[in-house]
Amino acid sequence: MTSCTHPNPSQQSLASLELRRLFLLAPQDCTEFADPLSVPLGGGWRLTHHRDLQVLQCREGRRTLTLIGHLLDPYQPQADDRLLIETLIRKDVPLDQLPAATAHLGGRWALFGDDGDQALVWTDPAAQRPVYYHRHPEHATQDGGPIRTSLAGEPGLLARHLGLTVDPVAADYAEGRGDSDVEVHWLPGDRTLYTDVRTLLPNHWLDLRSGRCRRWWPQAPIPRLDWDSVLQRCEVLLRGQLEAIQRRWPLALPMTAGWDSRLMLALCRPIASEVHAYTLAYPPQGRRANDVRVPARLLASLGLAHQIVRCPDSVDEGFKALMRRHQPTPARGCCADAQALWRLLPQDRMSLSGDVAEVVKAHFRRPDLRDETLTAADLADLIRIGRHPFALDALQDWLAGARPSPVPLLDLFCWEQMAGRWQAKLRADMDLVQDGIAPLNHRELLVTMLAADESRRRAPQVELFEALILRMWPQALTEPVNPPERQSTLVVLRALAGRIGLNRLLPVALRRGMRRLIDRED
């Protein structure tokens, strides 16, 4: 007999956005949330979460599964979270084999499983629902009993709850990366700003009782597939994902001039008229940027509406403070995006993003780099974060845990670092104002794409995406993808003034006048 509880999230006002869509799991009661929901997990743990975050719990005999977020099954697009978690809990496999049994499931989620002997947590394929954890060795019993583990959806929440302090070495590294309201900085490996807090990387599970983290994928090489088989499988999985998504939510589609959003647009062909397409226009170029011009022309030619969302030159201090408490790192990022989306975008829609595409694009290839000789310094150079000791230690630990790898190390690095850290942080930052889901975040789909020859996945052409778009909506390619940017002298001068700090010395009226002139050039 299976029983389920399914709290109904409620719409929040702007004043109630703090810690939105976050959770905390700990042995102690949590007082960080203003008006939380709470779910007991057994074994002394309690899951406390914001009301806008869905939590669903199911029990079958001794086994309990608790879902945070949403599951999607492209083979059963009509199935809701309740049916999918009930099916999963009934699988006749040991608990530590359940992560492998989720290979056919997409979405954005974390799963907690407990069978009385083990208590495990694992995430969606690219950890787009981040989980951060802290082990409590002081709670271990004298006879070697369990180590208590606490988890949260972002590390600052965990640190505040447990009274943790910032690691000065991590802070020194992060401060060297700068502080921007536009760029997104991320910490390498599994590190956070706090000495004893780590992130649960994709392809790993964490034992809550022992605090032990273990890699469970990959176990074998990915067999090569012929081109037609790759395209056919990918199309089936993508279409199934979209059907599952559009059955649940009205959709918003962020558009740029790039491959990822173009693939999402082609996927949306059957429901294109129902999707709210929008593009963020960043200063100083604004509407002149190709990331705005190209989708505007394309969507107009397809007869689709398109909203251009202008990001502000500066962020309101109150909003910035709210967001930086939500994701507190010295280089926060996304404040301008989030403020614009909260004010100007419909709030009832799920954002359909092309996130996780980086996993399959064969990044960071250099002829002198081989798996057997790859070093932490090589990785730091590839992602341009400098050779700070904090970064090198984190990347060395990642390499040690990844070797020996049956799949190319740089593909695994993109999966677990670019998608599992950088894009996961970006998505978590935006949770304050917008929920999002990525159809590419599906293990079977990613493995199928990785089965294609590397030359057909590599940027800038990304032949794999081009071929899928041609199959799903050829007219989506009537505009160029990622054309080179052309900038007027005024735009170049304004950008230079911003980089050297001259903007701060210019009168507000002059800065606004420059922006109006740039807009008129469009």
Side-chain angles (χ1 to χ4, degrees):
M1 176 106 183
T2 302
S3 63
C4 297
T5 57
H6 193 168
N8 293 319
S10 60
Q11 182 66 34
Q12 300 293 298
S13 66
L14 178 59
S16 303
L17 290 184
E18 186 172 341
L19 304 180
R20 194 179 190 192
R21 300 189 177 99
L22 287 177
F23 68 90
L24 188 139
L25 182 150
Q28 309 95 335
D29 291 334
C30 176
T31 59
E32 301 297 323
F33 295 90
D35 184 26
L37 295 174
S38 184
V39 179
L41 297 187
W45 281 285
R46 178 167 291 275
L47 177 65
T48 308
H49 62 96
H50 191 278
R51 288 177 174 269
D52 283 357
L53 180 64
Q54 175 178 267
V55 172
L56 172 65
Q57 189 175 87
C58 292
R59 292 184 176 86
E60 179 81 20
R62 296 181 65 218
R63 181 172 289 183
T64 301
L65 279 184
T66 305
L67 168 69
I68 293 180
H70 302 283
L71 297 167
L72 302 171
D73 187 346
Y75 299 109
Q76 301 182 82
Q78 75 287 351
D80 60 12
D81 290 316
R82 183 187 300 268
L83 176 59
L84 294 177
I85 197 172
E86 286 178 350
T87 302
L88 186 63
I89 200 172
R90 290 171 179 153
K91 288 189 176 294
D92 188 20
V93 296
L95 188 64
D96 59 9
Q97 293 181 23
L98 268 190
T102 62
H104 67 294
L105 296 175
R108 185 171 175 236
W109 46 267
L111 276 167
F112 299 86
D114 192 332
D115 63 3
D117 297 319
Q118 286 183 304
L120 306 182
V121 57
W122 67 100
T123 68
D124 58 66
Q128 298 298 285
R129 179 72 65 191
V131 171
Y132 297 89
Y133 64 95
H134 175 266
R135 292 181 287 258
H136 300 265
E138 68 274 13
H139 291 159
T141 61
Q142 293 182 352
D143 60 357
I147 298 175
R148 291 288 189 178
T149 308
S150 293
L151 308 102
E154 68 93 9
L157 173 59
L158 201 55
R160 288 196 298 274
H161 178 69
L162 299 174
L164 305 177
T165 58
V166 171
D167 176 1
V169 179
D172 183 66
Y173 164 78
E175 288 166 5
R177 298 285 289 147
D179 188 0
S180 168
D181 289 334
V182 177
E183 297 182 36
V184 180
H185 298 308
W186 47 281
L187 298 184
D190 65 352
R191 299 300 200 270
T192 73
L193 286 177
Y194 307 98
T195 305
D196 296 318
V197 177
R198 297 286 187 264
T199 188
L200 180 59
L201 293 176
N203 309 315
H204 293 70
W205 54 249
L206 173 72
D207 188 320
L208 294 177
R209 292 194 172 93
S210 68
R212 181 170 60 101
C213 189
R214 178 179 175 183
R215 174 185 294 281
W216 63 269
W217 190 93
Q219 298 296 324
I222 298 173
R224 288 284 171 258
L225 290 175
D226 66 86
W227 185 237
D228 288 341
S229 296
V230 168
L231 295 180
Q232 183 177 1
R233 289 189 190 182
C234 288
E235 185 178 3
V236 167
L237 291 169
L238 283 168
R239 289 189 184 279
Q241 289 269 89
L242 178 67
E243 183 179 348
I245 292 168
Q246 62 94 17
R247 283 173 175 267
R248 302 194 196 184
W249 304 285
L251 298 178
L253 180 64
M255 288 294 303
T256 68
W259 282 110
D260 306 348
S261 66
R262 199 70 62 91
L263 179 61
M264 293 300 101
L265 175 64
L267 177 61
C268 286
R269 182 179 185 178
I271 58 168
S273 63
E274 304 168 17
V275 173
H276 185 94
Y278 70 94
T279 296
L280 289 165
Y282 297 95
Q285 288 180 284
R287 293 170 180 263
R288 292 184 53 83
N290 281 335
D291 271 341
V292 181
R293 287 175 176 262
V294 170
R297 289 195 303 261
L298 176 61
L299 292 167
S301 72
L302 297 173
L304 301 175
H306 179 221
Q307 179 185 5
I308 297 176
V309 179
R310 173 179 285 183
C311 288
D313 287 304
S314 60
V315 182
D316 294 345
E317 288 303 318
F319 188 90
K320 183 183 292 189
L322 176 65
M323 188 161 191
R324 291 184 171 188
R325 179 164 166 80
H326 185 249
Q327 292 285 341
T329 59
R332 289 87 177 176
C334 303
C335 288
D337 306 45
Q339 180 174 298
L341 292 178
W342 170 252
R343 289 181 173 176
L344 300 173
L345 202 70
Q347 293 295 303
D348 63 340
R349 290 177 176 261
M350 177 72 74
S351 177
L352 190 78
S353 77
D355 288 355
V356 189
E358 309 308 324
V359 170
V360 301
K361 289 183 183 175
H363 281 284
F364 308 138
R365 296 311 198 253
R366 271 188 3 210
D368 61 313
L369 294 182
R370 300 188 304 275
D371 278 11
E372 58 271 21
T373 58
L374 194 65
T375 68
D378 292 331
L379 295 177
D381 293 345
L382 285 172
I383 56 179
R384 301 178 181 179
I385 62 172
R387 296 189 176 186
H388 192 283
F390 173 82
L392 293 179
D393 287 348
L395 293 172
Q396 182 55 48
D397 284 352
W398 181 85
L399 273 174
R403 284 176 166 144
S405 174
V407 304
L409 270 175
L410 289 176
D411 282 339
L412 194 62
F413 184 72
C414 284
W415 188 318
E416 296 184 2
Q417 296 294 299
M418 286 194 74
R421 300 284 342 244
W422 169 54
Q423 286 186 327
K425 179 185 178 348
L426 174 61
R427 185 66 261 164
D429 283 348
M430 301 308 293
D431 267 344
L432 182 71
V433 298
Q434 181 192 62
D435 206 353
I437 205 157
L440 292 169
N441 189 23
H442 185 278
R443 186 172 300 278
E444 186 179 333
L445 175 61
L446 292 172
V447 169
T448 300
M449 289 182 163
L450 288 171
D453 187 86
E454 181 182 304
S455 64
R456 309 187 91 159
R457 299 187 275 114
R458 189 182 300 126
Q461 184 60 28
V462 195
E463 186 181 352
L464 172 61
F465 285 15
E466 180 183 39
L468 287 169
I469 294 168
L470 288 171
R471 289 171 72 102
M472 295 188 292
W473 198 357
Q475 288 76 16
L477 287 175
T478 54
E479 287 289 335
V481 178
N482 288 326
E485 205 68 67
R486 291 185 295 178
Q487 297 181 344
S488 71
T489 302
L490 183 58
V491 168
V492 172
L493 289 176
R494 189 168 185 266
L496 178 61
R499 284 198 297 272
I500 65 176
L502 183 59
N503 270 351
R504 295 193 298 270
L505 304 179
L506 298 176
V508 173
L510 181 56
R511 295 202 301 267
R512 290 175 177 169
M514 292 175 66
R515 181 160 192 165
R516 284 195 295 270
L517 287 174
I518 291 171
D519 287 345
R520 287 173 188 169
E521 291 181 5
D522 189 8

